[in-house]
Amino acid sequence: MSLNLSLAQHPHRQQQQFSSLDDKPQFPGASAEFIDKLEFIQPNVISGIPIYRVMDRQGQIINPSEDPHLPKEKVLKLYKSMTLLNTMDRILYESQRQGRISFYMTNYGEEGTHVGSAAALDNTDLVFGQYREAGVLMYRDYPLELFMAQCYGNISDLGKGRQMPVHYGCKERHFVTISSPLATQIPQAVGAAYAAKRANANRVVICYFGEGAASEGDAHAGFNFAATLECPIIFFCRNNGYAISTPTSEQYRGDGIAARGPGYGIMSIRVDGNDVFAVYNATKEARRRAVAENQPFLIEAMTYRIGHHSTSDDSSAYRSVDEVNYWDKQDHPISRLRHYLLSQGWWDEEQEKAWRKQSRKKVMEAFEQAERKPKPNPNLLFSDVYQEMPAQLRKQQESLARHLQTYGEHYPLEHFDK
Amino acid sequence: MAVVAAAAGWLLRLRAAGAEGHWRRFRGVGLARGFLHPSATVEDAAQRRQVAHFTFQPDPEPREYGQTQKMNLFQSVTSALDNSLAKDPTAVIFGEDVAFGGVFRCTVGLRDKYGKDRVFNTPLCEQGIVGFGIGIAVTGATAIAEIQFADYIFPAFDQIVNEAAKYRYRSGDLFNCGSLTIRSPWGCVGHGALYHSQSPEAFFAHCPGIKGLPLLPRTECSGVITAHGTLNLLGSAEQVPIEPYNIPLSQAEVIQEGSDVTLVAWGTQVHVIREVASMAKEKLGVSCEVIDLRTIIPWDVDTVCKSVIKTGRLLISHEAPLTGGFASEISSTVQEECFLNLEAPISRVCGYDTPFPHIFEPFYIPDKWKCYDALRKMINY
């Protein structure tokens, strides 16, 4: 009888040589010893995976050997990205309330997860996001004009006005366009990472998602594929405590998302998401090793969603104002970094005031301009369904054009590009 | 803008093929609890900025089901769910965010009233929600699953099509999940774009073994399964019977009789064609027969054909894209049954064959002007 066995020569998996002579387990499915005592493994949720942090809540470095010693310019960029994002969020949230844009999602409290990770990547690393990672784009210098253009769906929108606000995308900055369905980006990101590996691109793919999205089947698929196919990917989970109204206690019963990583054979870590340096350090090291070793990394960044889920949500219906205020006042990524900047002597109240004024002015200008611009030509409703427009669709496009000739007065044509 | 402006709700009632008869619909008791927002008046709805692309006309108060109360769509749904849980101790409601009342406020107050083991959140996983619901139903208990937006039903497509729909058939009727209902809002809301606007009924129409109802636009909104398709979910209110009552499944309703053209739609679009019927009368002197199809699978072939035999002209309208949309099924059947009665080709006024766009929504939707124009062409054929 010939047995055709291929033993995996994977650096991360030790599979025993098959031998019928030993009284050792020969199962192909696991590499383990026998035990003769009946014992269930107790999931450890009381004392879970510890949370890596560099700064305390007052922005002081705890362990100097963990200080990334980022240069002043870089730290200021981190700070300004977060605060500019915060300012933009306030103004655009308000603009939705006023009926100027149809919808908005803020990033309050999670700015640290965005910029800390973005700062640790190369500019060409590919980003797959969920919908609450605008700070990654902000850090990559996506102009305010384009944020606004997408939210307004105006003629400058790279996405051609097709998606709801905050569904950004930017090919130039390697940020794949957002889609609303949750976790769909996870297996996609893994595929992209695999292709990057084959292309020897020296590129990592980073995939962001929330702790709620991690419950989707697509998350399981993504994790398992990344591990088995040895993909250079960073899975970055923003655990912000809520999925709309659903608290983490109803989302999972294990030790968060980080504890799932080892179950897939994935290197995992939990970090303080409100500590920009912790996020930075973890992402930096994960990136280095993911590319060098072609294996996935899972970073679970603990944070808190200070804002509502979106403009369609009023979170006072399911959580207390006190809870929200705690995070806003006592543990905010922007405050903590500001304390650090102040203690370094790299920032002061004067500069803070001036920057607030300046950033508000920049946002307002972009906002006013975006509002004045027309919407794209309605013909763009029909393009990009395929690369080449099929004949059937061209007919539909023509029928709309004819319809508008007769009934145009009933349509908001004055707001659209001719 | 109305932040919770809701889409037409659509409900899949999974039942054994062959299950007949009346389907219990429940009307609300307990609405005087005060946990529901006061229903807005029709006038309030009209004042909202550009929320609806049609003029809402409330139905006349139904007389045959007893006392009524003014409710808007989500209140009707809550009321129906309330009744379901009251009458059936095995019934449970679950899905994402249903515990606090749901993103469309359809389950407000129910957890407090019936307990957390009966109204509960699940983890964020549509395939899990439906699979779990099937399991509950297999034991004979009543499962009411919510999918937050119909656009997100696709991870559950396998469980619905391959499992739920085929349970009875494949087991030789040993097992079934007939007591599973899946509720999900569908249809456009004004700014929902690709993923908060879809009308996926055609995908499920193609699946033997399930029953599907779009929301009823009128007072019979009831029961576990229905929701009324209207943009003014919060705004438009009608008189709705309080006590539980039945209306038959799979029966379309002729909501307005006419002689020249048959107009067929379901969900929110019924409001649109109703307005088109008024426009046709006023501008063209044309008399339209307006049919609310009510059920997609199975659909009421007889009522539609009877109407077309009378009028000779048929216009079907839905938001879903034209190609492969449910209008094509209706059109195909009607031309088989009523070929010699037709005075003009059957007209379909539907969404374009593109994803549902955000900023272009006013141009995308099969609005009253497109329907009116198609009607005019049919008359002049």
Side-chain angles (χ1 to χ4, degrees), chain A residues 24-272:
Chain A
K24 285 177 175 287
Q26 303 296 336
F27 303 111
S31 172
E33 297 293 326
F34 282 125
I35 186 173
D36 53 29
K37 183 160 171 257
L38 177 65
E39 219 172 68
F40 288 97
I41 297 169
Q42 172 98 16
N44 188 351
V45 297
I46 306 296
S47 176
I49 292 171
I51 304 164
Y52 171 71
R53 65 173 182 170
V54 174
M55 286 188 280
D56 63 20
R57 294 194 183 103
Q58 287 73 47
Q60 302 310 304
I61 304 285
I62 298 165
N63 180 350
S65 66
E66 296 297 310
D67 185 345
H69 295 294
L70 295 180
K72 177 179 173 185
E73 285 321 302
K74 188 143 181 158
V75 184
L76 281 174
K77 185 174 161 73
L78 288 169
Y79 185 73
K80 288 188 174 181
S81 300
M82 290 198 288
T83 47
L84 187 59
L85 175 61
N86 190 271
T87 303
M88 183 178 83
D89 275 352
R90 286 171 201 281
I91 287 168
L92 285 179
Y93 186 90
E94 210 26 64
S95 80
Q96 192 279 341
R97 282 337 206 191
Q98 295 170 14
R100 295 168 190 269
I101 61 175
S102 62
F103 175 82
Y104 194 69
M105 300 178 99
T106 57
N107 301 273
Y108 302 145
E110 300 185 50
E111 299 90 345
T113 62
H114 306 175
V115 308
S117 53
L121 302 171
D122 284 6
N123 280 334
T124 54
D125 289 336
L126 192 56
V127 177
F128 283 80
Q130 182 64 69
Y131 50 54
R132 217 184 293 278
E133 297 91 12
V136 175
L137 268 177
M138 192 66 90
Y139 188 85
R140 286 188 172 180
D141 300 313
Y142 194 63
L144 290 171
E145 181 203 348
L146 289 182
F147 279 112
M148 304 283 175
Q150 198 285 324
C151 289
Y152 273 90
N154 71 26
I155 202 173
S156 301
D157 177 24
L158 299 177
K160 302 175 191 173
R162 292 165 184 156
Q163 290 221 68
M164 284 173 94
V166 311
H167 288 64
Y168 310 115
C170 184
K171 188 165 179 177
E172 199 184 314
R173 290 169 179 82
H174 310 285
F175 189 96
V176 179
T177 303
I178 298 302
S179 73
S180 311
L182 298 177
T184 45
Q185 72 279 15
I186 301 178
Q188 294 168 17
V190 176
Y194 187 84
K197 176 173 83 164
R198 289 206 67 245
N200 279 315
N202 267 319
R203 227 180 159 192
V204 89
V205 174
I206 188 163
C207 181
Y208 296 90
F209 52 95
E211 87 286 349
S215 293
E216 289 279 13
D218 271 346
H220 164 67
F223 296 156
N224 205 25
F225 276 52
T228 54
L229 298 171
E230 299 168 17
C231 300
I233 182 167
I234 300 172
F235 293 114
F236 194 104
C237 176
R238 295 176 290 96
N239 187 330
N240 64 13
Y242 289 90
I244 306 186
S245 72
T246 306
T248 53
S249 57
E250 291 173 359
Q251 196 62 249
Y252 52 76
R253 213 34 74 82
D255 178 23
I257 313 308
R260 297 181 199 171
Y264 291 98
I266 296 177
M267 300 283 296
S268 310
I269 191 170
R270 172 174 285 152
V271 306
D272 179 345

Side-chain angles (χ1 to χ4, degrees), chain A residues 342-356:
Chain A
L342 291 170
S343 70
Q344 294 289 102
W346 291 346
W347 198 246
D348 58 38
E349 279 311 308
E350 286 270 312
Q351 290 173 281
E352 176 72 19
K353 276 214 309 244
W355 169 241
R356 281 194 200 196

Side-chain angles (χ1 to χ4, degrees), chain A residues 96-99 102-103 151-153 160-165 179-182 212-213 215-218 243-247 250-251 311-312 317-318 375-378 380-382 385 392-393 396 399-400 403-404 407 410-413 416, chain B residues 1 3-4 49-50 95-100 103 105 111 121-127 148 151-152 155 190-196 322-323 351-365 367 369-374 376:
Chain A
Q96 192 279 341
R97 282 337 206 191
Q98 295 170 14
S102 62
F103 175 82
C151 289
Y152 273 90
K160 302 175 191 173
R162 292 165 184 156
Q163 290 221 68
M164 284 173 94
S179 73
S180 311
L182 298 177
S215 293
E216 289 279 13
D218 271 346
I244 306 186
S245 72
T246 306
E250 291 173 359
Q251 196 62 249
T311 48
S312 302
Y318 52 82
K375 310 303 183 194
N377 189 294
L380 290 174
L381 195 173
F382 297 95
V385 180
Q392 167 83 332
L393 203 47
Q396 293 179 9
S399 88
L400 175 63
H403 180 74
L404 291 175
Y407 297 94
H410 303 292
Y411 295 83
L413 283 166
F416 288 78
Chain B
M1 289 209 192
V3 293
V4 204
R49 249 173 35 83
Q50 284 185 298
E96 293 154 24
D97 303 296
V98 301
F100 91 110
V103 295
R105 324 302 291 134
R111 184 177 169 95
N121 292 338
T122 64
L124 212 168
C125 183
E126 291 76 15
Q127 67 188 100
Q148 200 159 84
D151 313 60
Y152 303 138
H191 60 275
L194 283 73
Y195 303 109
H196 297 82
L322 179 74
T323 299
Y352 300 116
D353 291 334
T354 76
F356 202 106
H358 179 241
I359 212 72
F360 306 115
E361 178 165 333
F363 302 97
Y364 179 89
I365 53 177
D367 63 13
W369 297 109
K370 291 180 185 170
C371 292
Y372 173 76
D373 192 61
R376 206 176 48 82

